[in-house]
Amino acid sequence: MAQSDGEQRSGAPRDLHLTEVSKRFGDFVAVDDLTLTVPEGAFFALLGPSGCGKTTTLRMVAGLEDPTAGTVSIGAEDITGLKPYKRPVNTVFQSYALFPHLTIFENIAFGLRRRGVKDVKRQTDDMLRLVQLEQYGGRKPAQLSGGQQQRVALGRALINEPGVLLLDEPLGALDLKLRRQMQLELKRIQTEIGITFVHVTHDQEEAMTMADTIAVMNSGVIEQMGAPTELYENPRTTFVANFLGQSNLVSTDVVDSSGSTVIVDCHGQKVGVDESRSHTDQGKGWLGIRPEKIFASQRDSEDLEDGNQLTGGVVSDVSFVGVSTQYLVRMPWGQELMVFEQNTGQRQSFKSGDEVDLAWSPQHSFLLDADQDAAAGAVREDVG
Amino acid sequence: MNPSATEAVNVTDKPGQRRGKGWLLLVPGMLWLLMFFLFPTVQLFFTSLYDPSGSFEQGYAMTWHFQNYADAIKETSDLFVRSFLYAGITTLVCLLLAYPLAYAIAFKSGRWKNVMLVLVIAPFFTSFLLRTLSWQAILADQGPVTGFLRALAILPDDGRLLATPIAVVAGLIYNFLPFMTLPLYASLDKVDHRLIEAAGDLYSSPFTGFRKVTLPLSMPGLVSGTLLTFIPASGDYINAELLGTPREYMLGNRIQSAFLVEQNYPLAATLSLSLMLLVVVMVILYIRRSGTEELV
Amino acid sequence: MSKPLSSQVSRRGFMRGASLSALAVGGSGLLASCGTEGAKVEEGSCESTDKSESEQEVSFSNWPLYLDPIKAKDTSTLEKFEQVTGIAVSYDTDVNDNLSFKAKVAPQLQACKSTSRDVFVLTDWMAAQMIELGWLQELDHANMPNVDANLLDSLKSPSWDPERKYSVPWQSGMTGIAYNAELTDPVTSFQQLLTRPELKGKITLLTEMRDTMLFMLLMQGADPEDFTDDEFSNAIAELQKYVDNGQVRRFTGNDYTDDLKQGNVAACEAWSGDIAALGNPKFKWLAPEEGISLWSDNMLVPNLAEHKTNVEKLINFYYEPVNAAKLAAWNYYFCPVKGAEDEIAQFDKSAVGNPLIFPAEDMLSRGYTFMGLDATQDKNYQAQFNQVQGG
Ligand SMILES: Nc1ncnc2c1ncn2[C@@H]1O[C@H](COP(=O)(O)OP(=O)(O)OP(=O)(O)O)[C@@H](O)[C@H]1O
Ligand SMILES: [Mg+2]
């Protein structure tokens, strides 16, 4: 198996392909017609709320679950029907699943021994060094801290140099500080070894800091896939807009979609959205603006030439959070919009009841199909 | 494995300086042991050294007659061998039967788990004696099992099951199977299914996964199950008495008749203690070998 | 591995505990390290009180198949006794053989404690032992006029209780051979029982040494009423042979009837009355060619039994010929009561002259009683016999 890995790697790229994969548990559809490609060597994050099917997807890649339909392949090789132990795939389990009766050394050497690899000792020592656990080889898992156990789980999978490494919320159990540290470490190891990581998380910050590509999953389907900035700046669905960061979504009517800036009517006030960020061109649409992209100014004090402006807001709530001040501004049509002002000291601050206008540049907003629920993905677990 | 690791272990294992009155917790257990183990054992030890020429009627004089041990063991060595042989076979067969059973209950029984567990312990609702007596009926020479085996020519026409070593060992197996099954089940039930998946993920075929993960993790249950079977089986006499003939009699039969029929207390005590000692030695060797102390 | 907890206990505390236990164990050890007293209870040292006046009850331990069914309405002799006297009898068939019953009650009797039984039935030689050990209460013949009037003369004064001060026979009987006519031809001698190849593994012998060894001695040409140690040892060696070659399936107490009924056993050493009481004509009993073993089982009242007077009434009741006849007509053992034969004619003509109940002279003339043994002989022989039984 190890040899065939090598051969394959030198030939065609060992991309991971999921093609029209579905998984049903009885009537319940856990993964629905999912298609995605993870390029070889990529750090790919699968992001989504609890229960959306992330673990199920990973388990199908690992072979621990059989897809109801569709195929899984690595490079040109279809592995859909392959038993887990025959796949060039290893998993770092959400719960680590370290073998309690084996030492750390033996845990890490486990895969090598099963494959009958020769220089187990050297490779395992190297791996212990890589995950910085050289002096812990003789201990049992129960004698390690959570972070150390996590590194054992990682080393145990990595040492096999799998075509694809699956990580199922490996950092979920760690406290914030350790999690940040481990995120950096994971990223370092991935860069060093250069194998494909598929990293499952429901922490959007984690996904954005680590991954080259993020797929946002919801109810068994992938809502959007792309680079972190792409997903953040130009979400295609309300779910993504709300799940990644926060968004103000305002109901509008498309007035003119012929130019490079789509003009929409927002409760009587006209604003523009870059065409590349408009995902609808007629009828109603959700205008999306990130709170930190909005400038608030005293009523009628500023007049932006080519910016967007909504006037007539009244500050209804102010919360000071250090680096920024968060305002809630009640608009004439009753909706409250969120505005984050950086505390640079350059800009005026407001208090409740102040009348303000809101401004932003057309490249900083996006327009979404009005058929979707504006609140999709907004209610999330509190992360971190 | 390497010296720095052992050091590291000791760091986490600080002896409790502040334990203070903790030893009080040992008192009930100590008293219990004293009353129900140490006290009778010491009594038994003294009894085993009585003058063998005494009798129940005339009384036994204490003559510190250590020769009793040599005499008794010489006289009953075949019984010792047979007891350990039967107990060993019983333990082995129980293990072979109970492991798949416990495995199925722990991993495959789904919502039938509780029903199956109740079935395993159901025999305990009737007395040991009654159950063994009903085996007498099941294995009777004119009974259904014997008839069936004769019809299949597995048994010769004048062959029988009852009053043979097979019946005795079968009775032992039947009676001690739950003692093997329950600890095994308890151990297997604790095995995290995800560990087995992890083994599969790490290139173990189902069989290798079993050998390298499930089996070692079930060792505590396996060891206690074999002990719970072997120890009482080697001292049992009911099965040999009811299902066997004098040729199948085990040490327990001799002890019971020495105690309860002959009232030859020194002999009975000598044999009891010798059996106990031998079993303890075997258990220690066994635990050493199986290395259970190291298991989590 | 952590250190054992005990090493973490303060030394002083532990030592205190340890010395305490050493003391206790030492104490107990002193008890046992002196050896045991004899089992004999000196006369006058274990007096019983009789509560028969206030407690109308009797607790009775007997052998199986020895009393007509208690459940049978109107015919049960025991029920009749209860009705006539108003004494409630609690009846147990917990005597399976003499030695194991003795072992059951010995711990109490040797320590002068109550056995919770008012009367039990044991064979002559065991009755003799218990009288010797001082474990029994003396019976008051004034309460049992029927015994004095009706006890067969031949049973009136055995050597071990010449005045019947402690014992009154319940029934007498013979030990011989029983066989299942559906499974085997008649087995007419012990020789056949132990050597016929088709009986291999299909016979049982009794755990009663005196019964079984009596036949072994006869087979050896020795006289069971007068034999030597060597003769006994030879007989034991002979017996061992049949155990080793698998001819003998088991040694049993009164439970031999189970194997016989289940068809596991084709022939066995058996007590005369049991087979008739089984009530199935396929089971036959016969007197072996070598001879028969004769014995009586006796009602005995142990020390500290609290209803001796009630027991005496019970004994008196069963010595009324009509009651004795009813009993004998059911259990088919020798009836020790004069006049019972006349009574039996009233209701069961077939039983009249039945040799099992009223033995003919020529049968009795072939009978043997086992030689009386002193304690040393008894122990020695019993040990040899147990050795054979114990594999
Ligand atoms: N074996 C199963 N039988 C039935 N339903 C299942 C099974 N496994 C998963 N599901 C369901 O499938 C859905 C997806 O589960 P999955 O474990 O993939 O979620 P997830 O995205 O990993 O969630 P989390 O972030 O909480 O781990 C859930 O609704 C779950 O209840
Ligand atoms: Mg999951």
Side-chain angles (χ1 to χ4, degrees):
Chain A
M1 184 152 302
Q3 295 91 324
S4 78
D5 277 3
E7 282 163 29
Q8 296 267 354
R9 195 163 292 160
S10 57
R14 308 268 291 149
D15 298 351
L16 169 68
H17 303 282
L18 275 71
T19 316
E20 293 166 1
V21 168
S22 294
K23 178 69 195 181
R24 266 178 261 280
F25 295 109
D27 290 342
F28 179 78
V29 184
V31 173
D32 191 8
D33 199 25
L34 184 120
T35 299
L36 63 80
T37 295
V38 181
E40 182 178 0
F43 197 124
F44 185 91
L46 204 51
L47 179 65
S50 182
C52 72
K54 306 179 297 286
T55 297
T56 308
T57 307
L58 277 205
R59 288 171 63 83
M60 287 191 289
V61 175
L64 300 173
E65 210 83 74
D66 290 326
T68 315
T71 59
V72 179
S73 50
I74 292 181
E77 188 191 359
D78 184 347
I79 60 166
T80 318
L82 221 53
K83 294 264 176 272
Y85 61 98
K86 295 193 168 152
R87 297 190 184 203
V89 171
N90 289 111
T91 310
V92 178
F93 291 89
Q94 197 160 1
S95 56
Y96 310 152
L98 300 181
F99 303 122
H101 58 299
L102 300 179
T103 59
I104 301 312
F105 183 95
E106 284 305 323
N107 263 280
I108 289 181
F110 195 88
L112 296 182
R113 294 212 192 278
R114 299 294 84 74
R115 287 184 300 147
V117 170
K118 292 232 176 54
D119 52 347
V120 173
K121 170 92 175 105
R122 188 188 57 77
Q123 288 197 40
T124 307
D125 284 340
D126 285 351
M127 184 48 71
L128 280 169
R129 205 162 308 125
L130 183 71
V131 295
Q132 297 171 358
L133 291 170
E134 293 109 308
Q135 69 272 45
Y136 296 98
R139 286 203 198 181
K140 294 280 177 67
Q143 298 166 321
L144 296 190
S145 73
Q148 291 167 333
Q149 292 183 19
Q150 197 276 326
R151 280 181 276 162
V152 178
L154 188 64
R156 186 179 69 172
L158 273 178
I159 197 167
N160 304 296
E161 300 187 8
V164 178
L165 183 70
L166 307 174
L167 303 105
D168 191 355
E169 302 198 34
L171 311 182
L174 308 182
D175 65 45
L176 187 63
K177 186 154 171 282
L178 191 54
R179 186 162 0 142
R180 293 283 170 262
Q181 195 182 323
M182 287 306 305
Q183 284 171 1
L184 295 175
E185 210 159 326
L186 266 183
K187 187 68 192 166
R188 170 181 69 78
I189 290 168
Q190 196 262 344
T191 324
E192 219 164 281
I193 300 187
I195 54 182
T196 315
F197 274 38
V198 179
H199 181 99
V200 157
T201 177
H202 54 228
D203 178 350
Q204 43 122 345
E205 243 180 276
E206 185 174 302
M208 290 198 283
T209 45
M210 298 172 79
D212 314 325
T213 312
I214 297 177
V216 177
M217 213 176 159
N218 184 28
S219 311
V221 300
I222 290 194
E223 295 258 341
Q224 190 175 351
M225 192 157 81
T229 45
E230 161 79 7
L231 257 60
Y232 187 81
E233 301 295 350
N234 189 8
R236 283 163 200 275
T237 65
T238 54
F239 179 85
V240 177
N242 289 323
F243 194 75
L244 279 183
Q246 283 163 294
S247 296
N248 294 301
L249 292 176
V250 183
S251 162
T252 59
D253 295 294
V254 179
V255 178
D256 176 10
S257 59
S258 56
S260 69
T261 303
V262 177
I263 307 297
V264 296
D265 178 315
C266 177
H267 301 277
Q269 306 187 50
K270 300 248 179 345
V271 291
V273 181
D274 249 25
E275 196 214 355
S276 63
R277 292 163 178 243
S278 302
H279 304 297
T280 183
D281 52 10
Q282 60 187 42
K284 286 197 161 297
W286 293 113
L287 171 68
I289 323 140
R290 298 283 186 189
E292 76 279 6
K293 300 280 166 56
I294 304 179
F295 298 102
S297 54
Q298 200 166 10
R299 179 152 218 178
D300 300 333
S301 68
E302 275 181 67
D303 192 21
L304 289 158
E305 280 289 302
D306 48 24
N308 289 324
Q309 194 170 33
L310 288 174
T311 58
V314 177
V315 175
S316 60
D317 187 64
V318 181
S319 36
F320 177 75
V321 291
V323 296
S324 65
T325 305
Q326 306 189 352
Y327 298 104
L328 279 182
V329 178
R330 181 175 298 282
M331 300 311 289
W333 58 93
Q335 188 180 6
E336 283 187 322
L337 299 185
M338 254 182 301
V339 177
F340 298 167
E341 287 278 8
Q342 288 292 311
N343 287 330
T344 55
Q346 314 267 314
R347 295 192 62 86
Q348 190 185 352
S349 58
F350 302 96
K351 59 187 188 303
S352 219
D354 286 356
E355 297 191 326
V356 291
D357 294 336
L358 305 180
W360 68 93
S361 81
Q363 307 95 286
H364 287 161
S365 55
F366 43 89
L367 188 63
L368 305 173
D369 197 323
D371 290 346
Q372 311 165 66
D373 178 6
V379 187
R380 316 193 293 278
E381 296 158 80
D382 218 316
V383 192
Chain B
M1 195 158 283
N2 63 54
S4 61
T6 14
E7 261 172 44
V9 174
N10 287 339
V11 175
T12 54
D13 254 3
K14 269 187 208 131
Q17 295 293 336
R18 290 172 294 118
R19 234 174 267 246
K21 298 239 154 42
W23 65 274
L24 277 172
L25 291 173
L26 288 175
V27 169
M30 289 279 219
L31 279 178
W32 177 269
L33 270 182
L34 189 71
M35 276 177 58
F36 294 104
F37 179 71
L38 213 51
F39 186 90
T41 308
V42 170
Q43 289 268 24
L44 210 56
F45 175 67
F46 284 131
T47 306
S48 73
L49 301 176
Y50 289 167
D51 179 3
S53 66
S55 73
F56 170 74
E57 284 77 15
Q58 283 137 33
Y60 289 102
M62 174 50 119
T63 54
W64 305 96
H65 201 270
F66 281 95
Q67 181 68 25
N68 279 348
Y69 281 87
D71 291 347
I73 289 172
K74 202 171 86 209
E75 192 187 306
T76 55
S77 58
D78 51 335
L79 290 182
F80 274 101
V81 170
R82 189 182 299 140
S83 295
F84 290 135
L85 181 70
Y86 285 3
I89 295 173
T90 299
T91 308
L92 199 69
V93 178
C94 276
L95 183 60
L96 294 178
L97 292 175
Y99 206 104
L101 179 63
Y103 188 90
I105 297 175
F107 293 128
K108 310 282 179 192
S109 60
R111 64 207 180 87
W112 296 103
K113 187 180 270 189
N114 286 335
V115 176
M116 297 193 53
L117 280 176
V118 169
L119 287 181
V120 168
I121 54 167
F124 290 133
F125 293 131
T126 42
S127 89
F128 186 76
L129 202 66
L130 276 183
R131 280 180 279 138
T132 311
L133 277 172
S134 62
W135 270 82
Q136 249 184 8
I138 294 169
L139 299 178
D141 291 13
Q142 313 286 311
V145 180
T146 314
F148 181 71
L149 293 180
R150 280 182 192 143
L152 292 182
I154 293 174
L155 270 181
D157 279 346
D158 60 345
R160 63 168 199 240
L161 289 173
L162 194 60
T164 64
I166 293 175
V168 176
V169 174
L172 286 168
I173 291 167
Y174 162 77
N175 278 311
F176 292 109
L177 192 60
F179 294 94
M180 183 68 93
T181 311
L182 291 177
L184 272 176
Y185 163 76
S187 259
L188 283 168
D189 196 46
K190 273 194 299 195
V191 174
D192 187 343
H193 195 253
R194 292 173 294 191
L195 295 180
I196 302 167
E197 284 189 351
D201 189 65
L202 292 165
Y203 313 104
S204 304
S205 64
F207 178 70
T208 314
F210 170 78
R211 216 162 42 85
K212 292 292 172 186
V213 178
T214 315
L215 185 63
L217 288 176
S218 65
M219 271 319 267
L222 196 147
V223 170
S224 46
T226 45
L227 293 181
L228 281 176
T229 307
F230 184 82
I231 296 173
S234 59
D236 184 76
Y237 69 92
I238 298 282
N239 286 282
E241 161 106 27
L242 296 180
L243 305 175
T245 75
R247 289 190 301 171
E248 279 80 53
Y249 277 3
M250 299 166 67
L251 196 67
N253 298 85
R254 191 75 189 92
I255 294 175
Q256 98 94 22
S257 105
F259 251 124
L260 294 180
V261 181
E262 294 162 48
Q263 289 168 312
N264 186 344
Y265 297 146
L267 176 65
T270 306
L271 291 176
S272 299
L273 279 179
S274 306
L275 178 65
M276 201 160 100
L277 205 72
L278 275 171
V279 167
V280 166
V281 169
M282 284 191 216
V283 166
I284 289 172
L285 289 179
Y286 174 60
I287 292 182
R288 279 270 170 84
R289 274 219 54 187
S290 61
T292 354
E293 323 112 301
E294 285 180 17
L295 288 178
V296 184
Chain C
M1 263 175 300
S2 66
K3 291 182 175 170
L5 196 52
S6 59
S7 70
Q8 294 157 2
V9 175
S10 86
R11 292 286 155 207
R12 197 150 46 93
F14 183 73
M15 290 314 287
R16 203 187 307 150
S19 49
L20 207 91
S21 47
L23 200 77
V25 170
S28 84
L30 284 180
L31 281 178
S33 62
C34 295
T36 63
E37 305 267 311
K40 190 171 169 100
V41 175
E42 291 307 324
E43 207 178 330
S45 73
C46 188
E47 293 297 334
S48 319
T49 47
D50 193 37
K51 295 186 182 162
S52 293
E53 285 289 334
S54 54
E55 295 174 1
Q56 296 287 302
E57 55 192 61
V58 161
S59 133
F60 186 178
S61 282
N62 205 344
W63 301 65
L65 297 174
Y66 230 8
L67 178 72
D68 56 298
I70 319 172
K71 296 269 158 53
K73 275 253 168 267
D74 303 330
T75 64
S76 163
T77 53
L78 200 66
E79 194 184 73
K80 185 174 164 200
F81 170 73
E82 290 185 325
Q83 277 167 6
V84 171
T85 61
I87 294 169
V89 182
S90 104
Y91 185 77
D92 269 311
T93 53
D94 59 347
V95 187
N96 191 43
D97 77 26
N98 285 299
L99 275 176
S100 45
F101 187 79
K102 175 196 173 194
K104 209 176 329 191
V105 293
Q108 287 95 27
L109 289 176
Q110 70 162 351
C112 188
K113 301 235 172 64
S114 167
T115 62
S116 311
R117 292 172 179 88
D118 294 316
V119 55
F120 45 66
V121 175
L122 295 173
T123 308
D124 300 329
W125 61 275
M126 181 56 75
Q129 272 192 18
M130 288 197 175
I131 293 170
E132 187 62 33
L133 288 167
W135 288 359
L136 302 179
Q137 295 189 47
E138 201 175 317
L139 299 169
D140 183 358
H141 280 255
N143 290 332
M144 315 183 289
N146 290 338
V147 174
D148 292 339
N150 299 332
L151 178 60
L152 287 180
D153 294 336
S154 59
L155 293 171
K156 265 195 168 133
S157 51
S159 58
W160 43 273
D161 188 12
E163 292 163 54
R164 286 288 178 192
K165 271 205 314 211
Y166 298 95
S167 66
V168 176
W170 170 252
Q171 304 283 276
S172 303
M174 302 174 281
T175 309
I177 292 173
Y179 63 92
N180 180 339
E182 284 177 5
L183 295 180
T184 176
D185 298 330
V187 181
T188 57
S189 69
F190 245 68
Q191 187 69 36
Q192 287 184 28
L193 188 70
L194 291 176
T195 54
R196 264 166 52 174
E198 83 276 12
L199 294 177
K200 182 170 171 185
K202 293 192 165 300
I203 68 151
T204 56
L205 299 180
L206 292 168
T207 50
E208 292 289 336
M209 173 184 79
R210 283 164 177 80
D211 282 329
T212 302
M213 290 314 293
L214 183 134
F215 290 108
M216 296 311 300
L217 286 162
L218 284 173
M219 273 175 71
Q220 296 286 292
D223 179 359
E225 296 184 338
D226 181 19
F227 57 88
T228 64
D229 283 358
D230 283 347
E231 283 172 327
F232 188 86
S233 300
N234 289 340
I236 284 284
E238 180 77 2
L239 178 59
Q240 182 75 57
K241 209 170 79 190
Y242 303 120
V243 171
D244 289 344
N245 73 11
Q247 181 81 6
V248 178
R249 185 185 182 106
R250 293 175 64 201
F251 287 86
T252 65
N254 212 151
D255 51 343
Y256 69 89
T257 53
D258 296 342
D259 267 333
L260 194 64
K261 278 190 288 191
Q262 285 175 357
N264 295 330
V265 149
C268 58
E269 186 183 2
W271 289 310
S272 53
D274 291 354
I275 304 309
L278 285 180
N280 187 328
K282 76 180 177 190
F283 299 122
K284 313 270 189 212
W285 185 90
L286 55 77
E289 284 158 15
E290 290 88 351
I292 45 177
S293 160
L294 281 179
W295 42 263
S296 298
D297 288 338
N298 305 277
M299 292 179 272
L300 311 167
V301 177
N303 286 345
L304 296 194
E306 290 179 330
H307 309 98
K308 185 168 78 86
T309 310
N310 292 343
V311 173
E312 285 156 357
K313 285 182 186 165
L314 181 84
I315 297 174
N316 197 47
F317 173 84
Y318 277 104
Y319 268 78
E320 236 168 73
V322 56
N323 301 327
K326 281 260 163 56
L327 177 65
W330 187 86
N331 77 13
Y332 284 90
Y333 278 101
F334 293 173
C335 182
V337 180
K338 282 184 216 160
E341 192 156 14
D342 298 334
E343 287 293 337
I344 222 165
Q346 312 279 321
F347 60 92
D348 188 353
K349 290 268 188 302
S350 70
V352 179
N354 184 314
L356 293 183
I357 308 175
F358 306 105
E361 267 314 307
D362 64 322
M363 180 99 100
L364 289 180
S365 70
R366 290 172 52 213
Y368 296 88
T369 6
F370 204 76
M371 183 169 87
L373 305 177
D374 64 33
T376 323
Q377 282 173 319
D378 185 53
K379 186 179 162 168
N380 172 19
Y381 292 163
Q382 193 70 55
Q384 292 186 49
F385 184 63
N386 289 335
Q387 184 80 43
V388 180
Q389 287 185 68

